[in-house]
Amino acid sequence: MKQRLLFLGPPGAGKGTQAERLAASQGLLHLSTGDLLRGEVAAATELGCEAEAVMARGELVSDGLVLAIVRSRLEGHSGGWLLDGFPRNLAQAEALNSLLEDLAQQIELVVLMELDDDRLIQRLLGRGRADDNEAVIRHRLEVYREQTEPLISYYRQRQLLEPVEASGSVEAIAARILELTS
Ligand code: AMP
């Protein structure tokens, strides 16, 4: 079983749902930068206040801020992990590489969840999160295309990437992912 995983894919592809499920069943640390940032916003911490407006616009929070969150949670954690929603751009991917070098760890698999735009938008509109209105959703998809999609070829070149068709039932998608991780 692979122990160090990244979940990559557009907003609405179901990364959070699948990541949570897989992490629970395999005993991995689930690190969702989106969830952690929302927690900071809800607790009105300094970090949360800094991130709130950026998140509401559907843009990316600064690399330094997100990296500090990830670093603090991976340092001192000896077991497996699943990163969900991080990295989101090439600078974060490079920063993750050097963090993992420091920790003498390596990414074992990058799961790319794929779904067409119409279904992504439908799912996001049904979710009702603060940043899920149509204009912000479209912007988040643009940000994904521009900043996050380059990570697909980045990890493909490193022979870590495995695409998964993210349509069908939660169970069917989970089964596809589980097959890749074993
Ligand atoms: P998510 O829950 O992954 O869709 O993330 C929700 C929002 O949190 C994003 O639209 C960004 O504003 C912010 N965010 C989450 N992860 C990152 C990241 N790795 N880098 C920058 N911003 C992030």
Side-chain angles (χ1 to χ4, degrees):
M1 167 70 198
K2 300 205 161 78
Q3 296 285 309
R4 299 193 169 101
L5 317 177
L6 303 189
F7 271 33
L8 192 64
K15 295 186 298 296
T17 304
Q18 294 295 336
E20 197 177 324
R21 227 182 129 108
L22 183 68
S25 76
Q26 306 298 320
L28 307 174
L29 171 70
H30 175 205
L31 259 182
S32 156
T33 45
D35 284 350
L36 292 168
L37 287 166
R38 279 184 289 278
E40 299 282 341
V41 171
T45 62
E46 198 177 320
L47 196 154
C49 295
E50 213 181 307
E52 189 169 15
V54 179
M55 292 171 74
R57 287 198 301 272
E59 284 164 14
L60 296 185
V61 170
S62 78
D63 295 338
L65 208 151
V66 176
L67 190 72
I69 293 182
V70 174
R71 177 185 290 275
S72 71
R73 288 184 169 69
L74 286 188
E75 277 172 356
H77 173 78
S78 52
W81 40 256
L82 195 171
L83 299 185
D84 157 18
F86 175 90
R88 270 304 220 274
N89 59 28
L90 284 168
Q92 292 181 10
E94 295 289 2
L96 176 61
N97 280 349
S98 61
L99 169 60
L100 293 179
E101 228 166 81
D102 290 349
L103 300 175
Q105 297 181 2
Q106 277 182 344
I107 299 165
E108 292 169 337
L109 174 69
V110 178
V111 175
L112 171 64
M113 296 187 62
E114 296 185 304
L115 196 67
D116 58 81
D117 276 13
D118 284 351
R119 275 188 288 186
L120 290 175
I121 292 170
Q122 262 174 28
R123 276 197 195 170
L124 291 166
L125 283 173
R127 204 162 66 170
R129 220 169 67 188
D131 56 350
D132 279 345
N133 69 71
E134 190 155 357
V136 176
I137 288 172
R138 291 198 183 279
H139 189 54
R140 277 168 42 219
L141 283 171
E142 269 169 35
V143 168
Y144 174 77
R145 302 274 176 251
E146 283 167 19
Q147 305 199 41
T148 311
E149 233 172 36
L151 297 181
I152 296 175
S153 51
Y154 180 87
Y155 287 118
R156 191 185 287 124
Q157 278 167 15
R158 286 160 179 75
Q159 297 180 331
L160 291 169
L161 194 84
E162 292 286 353
V164 169
E165 169 68 45
S167 65
S169 68
V170 170
E171 286 73 24
I173 302 165
R176 285 173 213 146
I177 295 173
L178 192 62
E179 208 169 304
L180 296 173
T181 60
S182 44

